[in-house]
Amino acid sequence: MSGKDFLWGGAIAANQCEGAYLADGKGESVIDVLPAGKKRFEAMADLKKTLETDYGYYPSHEGIDFYHHYKEDIALFAEMGFRALRISISWPRIFPTGEDKEPNEKGLQFYDSLFVELKKYRIEPVVTINHFDTPLALVKKYGGWRDRKVIDAYLKYCRVIFERYKADVTYWITINEINMVLHIPALGAGLLLEKEENEEQIKYQAAHYQLLASAGAVKIGKEINPKFQFGCMLAAGQVYANTCDPSDVLESQKKNREHYFFIDVQARGAYPSYSKRLFEENGINLDMTEEDKKLLAENTVDYISFSYYSSRLTSADKELMKKATTGNAFATLKNPYLKESEWGWTIDPVGLRITMNELYDRYQKPLFIVENGLGAFDRVEENGQIADDYRIDYLKQHIDQMKEAVKDGVELIGYLAWGCIDLISASTGEMSKRYGFIYVDRTDDGSGSLKRYKKKSFDWYKEIIRQNSEMQK
């Protein structure tokens, strides 16, 4: 924690909170065609079928209407003492089809106003360029990131927002949770997969194009403003071995490498040595040129940003792994030493410290926690209060372990709590899975007044920021 410069705050995403579906010229994104609840997982598993299905109600179309409530919400963030807010710019709000000749000016004006409001309260924006919202038109035309042409569309978009906001933004994140392309390819890369295809080939090819897009964004961004700081982003969480059987330990190493693979390229500038065997054994032959390799080598990221919610547990025993659950999209065995959230996500604060040390040891670049939080059912009491002590307990334990990691020598830019205001869950599309310090009166069926209420955790986090800010002076 780098003294007075440490960035305390929160994080949200355009596709989960803005709403204003198609307002002011916005185009559709991948997430706009996904339903809520159990149907959401089915929809993400077969995006081609999803495009042909009418689910009736789509949560992202209204979100929490941050598009029209952002001034009120930012004032509440400022009241908590936020020094930073992670947002994302909606790609289809700027380029509705992804390939429009000119950007959508009304979309740009919305973010103009948003940055003005953040500057008013001296809140540093941390901007994700592509957060699960690839324009749907690119998905339909090219099958998502499986086509190299999507890189050009992405970089055109980058150039526009870098030029427009070169005086407003320092911290950029190129692609949200880039490793999700392997686990939720529809959400992570808008991939339309055919049953007879080699899925691993398609997913890793899409990943290569996303890695090139990330490097290209760094190159363009640094030319426009050399002070820009670029981060990659990993959906992090250490994968533990189920036992001390060397086969289990080796399996856990393989699983961890699945995630480090992406960051190895973005932070080190080249594909890791272990990727050669991975590709050979899975019949993967990438479209990769010498120019690609040069771009990756010369445009690495400045910092490693990551989300952390839970650790995972794996085994080499295939029969045992049939009992694995998909907490947070990752297959994991139940860890007998740890409790779980109401959605079955393992709660492992010490795992955050372990993950931070692993990442810093591996890359020796500053880390940035840009998502950490607890999704839970919140009950509004008769007096209007929301006593979310469970959230306070979760966050306190994780912040304590974060501080321990810093004592271990980890260089950390900041801590941004996920869903600092209630929003739609990316994994389930539900409003009832709440993360925020601020309660939004909106239900799973879309009803509710959208009125904002402070939870008990609001004042708790405000005090955490105040105390730590005092210590840093």
Side-chain angles (χ1 to χ4, degrees), residues 426-463:
S427 60
T428 69
E430 297 167 315
M431 272 303 301
S432 54
K433 187 181 184 184
R434 298 176 182 273
Y435 285 87
F437 304 116
I438 301 162
Y439 184 93
V440 179
D441 181 23
R442 170 71 71 178
T443 63
D444 285 343
D445 65 8
S447 60
S449 67
L450 288 174
K451 189 173 180 180
R452 274 68 165 152
Y453 301 90
K454 299 174 188 176
K455 302 178 189 179
K456 185 176 180 179
S457 57
F458 182 100
D459 288 324
W460 172 82
Y461 193 52
K462 178 180 180 179
E463 182 61 15

Side-chain angles (χ1 to χ4, degrees), residues 375-389:
F377 289 109
D378 290 335
R379 186 168 65 88
V380 182
E381 298 173 12
E382 289 184 7
N383 59 6
Q385 294 183 336
I386 301 108
D388 57 338
D389 295 274

